[in-house]
Amino acid sequence: MAKIIAGVTSSHVPAIGAAIDNHKTEEPYWKRVFSGFEKSKEWFAKTKPDVVIGVYNDHASAFSVEIVPTFALGCAAEFPPADEGWGPRPVPVVKGHPDLAAHIAQSVILDEFDLTVINKMEVDHGLTVPMNLVMGDPNGAWPCPVIPLAVNVVLFPPPTTHRCFMLGRAIKKAVESYPEDLRVVIFGTGGMSHQISGPRAGLINSKFDKAFLDDLVKNPKKLTKIKHVDLMREAGAEGIELVMWLIMRGALDDKVDEVYRFYTVPASNTAVGHVILENKSRKSGGKAKKAPKKAGKKKK
Amino acid sequence: MPRVEKEYDDIPGTFVFDQERSRRGYGINMFCMSLMKAENRKAFKDNEAEYLKKFPLTPEQTEAILKRDYNRMLELGGNIYFTAKLGATDGHSFQHLAAVMTGSTQEGYAKMMLGGGRPIEGNRSKSGKHERKSKPAAKAKGRKKAGSKRG
């Protein structure tokens, strides 16, 4: 049976993509950001998931204001990078996993999550920047199929943190009922604190971010009680993207091992938060479980 | 109909892109979306006022676009991910727009970000209602002045 073995959060700042695409990752400003993902790339290469579910949001690329789906699951075989106004990012086409995606759609809709099925979609930096950061240089092809799950966080209100957490739960159940032996990793992207609009632009709230990270790991249920107005007040109008992290967290077990954490300010206008969480009972793929590792350490 | 007061209207310097603004600002956002195509960018640049007539815009919205009044565009229903496309059409970086919206210089804005960003203290609410008590997740140990240093 398929199993979700780990979850990853990562900011998806467009300027990070531009820094990669324009070969600026060695500049001191960007090196500070990219150095925080070196261990993540090692982790990903070692973990070698069969499929990634990428929870992200579109930024007026695939969806304008004409159609605004709250949850849109990418069920296509592939998703080309979107032209965001400067030509598409020079990254490979994202290959999907139509069989697993169809299975998830079928399962979660019957679990009362009425998501939108998407069979044609271009994906923007929201999805591909975290892929670059965690998977590394794709060098012609991404290392595994990715199922995009686009969440509306642009038009208020986005789904609540609780709703997102419960969708994560439904996705977990869906994956675990898929007959093929697949090891799945789920990404929650966006955040952390940032505001890029209006006179309050530039807002950063590191204290909030760090507490959010702690709760995400150990006490996610607490985060399911946060109201949107408080999230926007504390983490910035666009910091509301953090709701997407709860989908990732809901798809994991109650108890997880935090195997890596990185936090820095700023990347462009944004606080960057990144954690890797592993389920304690990773069975599929035949990996035996050892004693849980301490948070902040990378597994060898 | 006047705007119905929302709880988040108390957040200072913030125009939440909600259902009501989205409805009013449809023309602004669809105009910005049209700038994704090179030929439209050119047509707009050739005659801005004429090009804007193709979209359902109020006179105030048209004026805000022509004047590049980004905060006004947000207030009238524009969304930042859309209006940023107008900025890009003008050849401006996002940081330039951020500086314009915050009434700062680009250099000053960049410096603020490098210094840890705009602090949350004093920026939670217009009414001052939320300044002292933090929200659940923000209840971190060891309070220190926001904006001092970052990890």
Side-chain angles (χ1 to χ4, degrees), chain A residues 59-60 66 83 154-156 195-196 198-202 204 206-207 211 230 233-234 241 263-264 266 269, chain B residues 8 12-14 17 19 26 33 36 71 74 81 85 94 101 109 113 116 118 120 123-124 130 135 137 150-151:
Chain A
H59 304 77
E66 288 180 312
D83 183 342
V154 173
L155 172 59
F156 190 90
Q195 177 153 335
I196 60 167
R200 202 175 71 140
I204 298 284
S206 297
K207 202 188 294 173
D230 296 321
R233 180 185 295 117
E234 295 295 327
E241 289 175 354
Y263 182 82
T264 191
N269 304 279
Chain B
Y8 45 73
T14 303
F17 183 61
Q19 303 293 332
Y26 186 79
M33 214 55 203
M36 295 289 276
N71 283 330
L74 299 179
Y81 296 118
K85 297 177 195 300
F94 191 82
M101 288 184 288
Y109 182 84
M113 291 317 300
R118 183 182 308 285
I120 184 71
N123 284 312
R124 284 191 172 91
H130 297 272
K135 291 326 291 176
R150 312 284 158 174

Side-chain angles (χ1 to χ4, degrees), chain A:
Chain A
M1 301 297 266
K3 187 153 179 61
I4 294 180
I5 55 168
V8 176
T9 70
S10 165
S11 307
H12 60 213
V13 182
I16 293 178
I20 295 169
D21 302 341
N22 298 314
H23 312 287
K24 289 185 178 166
T25 57
E26 288 299 316
E27 290 180 5
Y29 180 95
W30 288 112
K31 204 167 175 146
R32 170 177 50 83
V33 175
F34 288 103
S35 63
F37 289 86
E38 286 307 316
K39 291 191 165 144
S40 324
K41 289 173 194 160
E42 287 170 30
W43 174 87
F44 192 88
K46 191 163 60 71
T47 304
K48 286 197 189 66
D50 299 305
V51 185
V52 163
I53 297 170
V55 182
Y56 80 109
N57 71 282
D58 180 78
H59 304 77
S61 306
F63 305 114
S64 68
V65 276
E66 288 180 312
I67 297 175
V68 186
T70 295
F71 297 116
L73 189 71
C75 295
E78 53 180 49
F79 307 92
D83 183 342
E84 299 178 48
W86 300 270
R89 288 197 61 212
V91 292
V93 164
V94 175
K95 303 276 185 194
H97 196 299
D99 288 343
L100 178 58
H103 175 84
I104 292 172
Q106 174 107 356
S107 178
V108 304
I109 290 170
L110 290 174
D111 265 337
E112 304 183 344
F113 287 89
D114 315 310
L115 50 70
T116 303
V117 168
I118 302 284
N119 286 312
K120 186 178 192 313
M121 179 168 70
E122 293 181 345
V123 291
D124 70 11
H125 68 269
L127 183 73
T128 58
V129 162
M131 288 170 66
N132 273 118
L133 287 172
V134 177
M135 299 175 177
D137 182 358
N139 210 353
W142 296 107
C144 70
V146 175
I147 298 173
L149 174 58
V151 181
N152 164 50
V153 295
V154 173
L155 172 59
F156 190 90
T160 62
T161 50
H162 179 257
R163 185 72 174 156
C164 288
F165 186 82
M166 294 313 287
L167 174 60
R169 279 280 179 266
I171 289 172
K172 177 183 195 308
K173 183 176 155 197
V175 169
E176 287 172 357
S177 65
Y178 188 72
E180 198 183 335
D181 208 18
L182 295 175
R183 296 161 70 252
V184 179
V185 168
I186 182 164
F187 285 13
T189 72
M192 292 195 84
S193 59
H194 67 300
Q195 177 153 335
I196 60 167
S197 60
R200 202 175 71 140
L203 185 94
I204 298 284
N205 188 348
S206 297
K207 202 188 294 173
F208 176 89
D209 289 344
K210 287 172 182 175
F212 190 97
L213 285 170
D214 289 343
D215 286 334
L216 185 77
V217 180
K218 294 200 182 93
N219 195 7
K221 292 255 166 74
K222 189 167 151 192
L223 299 180
T224 64
K225 297 186 178 71
I226 296 189
K227 288 195 299 176
H228 283 340
V229 62
D230 296 321
L231 205 46
M232 292 191 295
R233 180 185 295 117
E234 295 295 327
E238 284 74 34
I240 203 161
E241 289 175 354
L242 285 168
V243 300
M244 295 187 288
W245 291 21
L246 272 299
I247 299 178
M248 177 285 291
R249 187 61 183 89
L252 299 180
D253 294 347
D254 286 340
K255 289 216 170 6
V256 292
D257 293 325
E258 178 180 339
V259 297
Y260 185 64
R261 182 188 293 204
F262 173 64
Y263 182 82
T264 191
V265 173
S268 191
N269 304 279
T270 305
V272 172
H274 168 48
V275 288
I276 300 176
L277 308 176
E278 289 184 350
N279 277 338
K280 287 179 189 288
S281 54
R282 294 190 304 162
K283 273 199 223 77
S284 184
K287 285 204 174 153
K289 262 307 76 217
K290 306 173 220 143
K293 281 276 181 123
K294 274 280 292 158
K297 293 250 175 71
K298 183 178 70 72
K299 289 200 163 176
K300 271 282 148 192

